[in-house]
Amino acid sequence: LGFRDLEIFNQALLGKQVWRILQNPSCLMARILKARYFPDCSILEAVQKKKASYAWKSILYGKELVSKGMRYIIGDGSHIKMWNDPWLPDHPPRAPRPRDGEIITGFKICDYFKPGGHDWDEQKLRNEVLPEDVIWIMKIKISPHGQQDLLGWSYNEDGLYTVKSGYWLGTHLPRQQLIQPTYGDVELKQRLWKTQITPKIKH
C-alpha cells in the first residue's frame, strides 16, 4: 500500500545530515561536531564516545546507512585500500575477498595494475582474489587519464546521496535474520501433530 518503514525513513533523513557534513565540512554544524567528536578522522570513521549528545548519536545512526552505500571510483588507484575500502559495484559496495581468506593490509589498488599502465594485472588478481570477484574487477574499466580516487554514493548516477536512494538501500539491504525455534521439544510436537485426534485437541 506504499506505507513507509518509519525507522528506516528516519535513518535515511539522518543520513542526509551526514552527507551535508561530508559535502560542506566548513559549515558551522560540521566544524562544531568535528571539533567535539571526530577531530582526527572523517565522519565515516567516527565512533560514539562517552557523554555523546542525543543529536550526535542520531547522526551516527544515519552514518551507518550512508557508509553501506558509499563506493570509491578508481582514478589512479593510489589512495584506495585494496582489501578494506568499498570499491566493487556490488550490492552493497564492498572490497574484494582474498583467495586464501587472509587480508593483507597496506596494498593499494594501483599495486594490481600492470607496470607502467592502467590495465589490470589479471594473473596477479587470479592468484590472490576469489574467482567470482575477479569477474567483477575485470568489468571495471580504468581511465588512462584518471588522477584522483573519488568516494561517492553508489546508488545514484551522479554519486550524490538523496533520502529516496538512502531509503531504498535501507529497505533492500541483505538481512540475515535467524528464525528462533519455538518453545518445546520438536520431536514431541511432530508426533503430536501426527496423532489421529481432532485439531482442537492437538492445539
Side-chain angles (χ1 to χ4, degrees):
L1 295 176
F3 293 119
R4 287 175 173 167
D5 185 315
L6 293 181
E7 181 178 354
I8 297 177
F9 185 65
N10 181 57
Q11 188 178 26
L13 288 170
L14 291 168
K16 187 68 174 179
Q17 301 306 315
V18 177
W19 188 255
R20 285 182 59 197
I21 294 172
L22 284 170
Q23 295 295 301
N24 302 293
S26 61
C27 71
L28 181 60
M29 178 186 72
R31 287 187 284 125
I32 290 175
L33 291 175
K34 183 173 181 62
R36 177 69 176 85
Y37 295 112
F38 56 103
D40 302 320
C41 63
S42 163
I43 187 172
L44 295 177
E45 301 168 343
V47 296
Q48 183 174 318
K49 297 182 178 180
K50 294 182 178 179
K51 298 182 179 179
S53 67
Y54 176 77
W56 175 243
K57 292 178 182 177
S58 300
I59 288 176
L60 286 180
Y61 182 54
K63 185 209 73 168
E64 292 178 12
L65 180 64
V66 174
S67 298
K68 292 173 182 175
M70 300 294 281
R71 179 169 67 91
Y72 277 96
I73 305 300
I74 302 173
D76 60 4
S78 62
H79 291 88
I80 306 175
K81 299 175 184 176
M82 175 69 179
W83 304 107
N84 301 98
D85 291 332
W87 58 276
L88 285 186
D90 199 356
H91 170 62
R94 60 178 176 83
R97 295 163 294 182
R99 194 180 185 94
D100 57 3
E102 182 179 352
I103 295 177
I104 304 174
T105 58
F107 283 98
K108 305 293 185 181
I109 284 183
C110 58
D111 296 325
Y112 292 82
F113 294 167
K114 289 182 179 179
H118 277 71
D119 294 324
W120 293 108
D121 188 336
E122 185 173 353
Q123 187 58 49
K124 185 175 182 179
L125 289 172
R126 294 192 181 281
N127 291 338
E128 300 185 21
V129 182
L130 283 180
E132 50 266 37
D133 286 353
V134 173
I135 296 174
W136 277 105
I137 295 173
M138 296 306 297
K139 290 180 180 178
I140 300 175
K141 303 300 181 183
I142 306 170
S143 171
H145 308 292
Q147 297 182 349
Q148 185 178 3
D149 300 319
L150 301 174
L151 181 62
W153 181 249
S154 184
Y155 293 91
N156 274 331
E157 292 185 0
D158 57 7
L160 301 178
Y161 177 88
T162 61
V163 175
K164 181 179 180 180
S165 61
Y167 179 77
W168 184 93
L169 175 61
T171 55
H172 290 78
L173 282 172
R175 301 184 186 276
Q176 297 179 347
Q177 295 181 347
L178 299 177
I179 300 176
Q180 297 297 326
T182 56
Y183 179 80
D185 184 82
V186 176
E187 183 180 355
L188 175 60
K189 287 186 287 186
Q190 289 175 344
R191 292 170 60 189
L192 285 173
W193 284 115
K194 293 178 182 179
T195 55
Q196 298 301 317
I197 54 177
T198 62
K200 178 180 179 181
I201 304 299
K202 290 181 183 180
H203 281 287

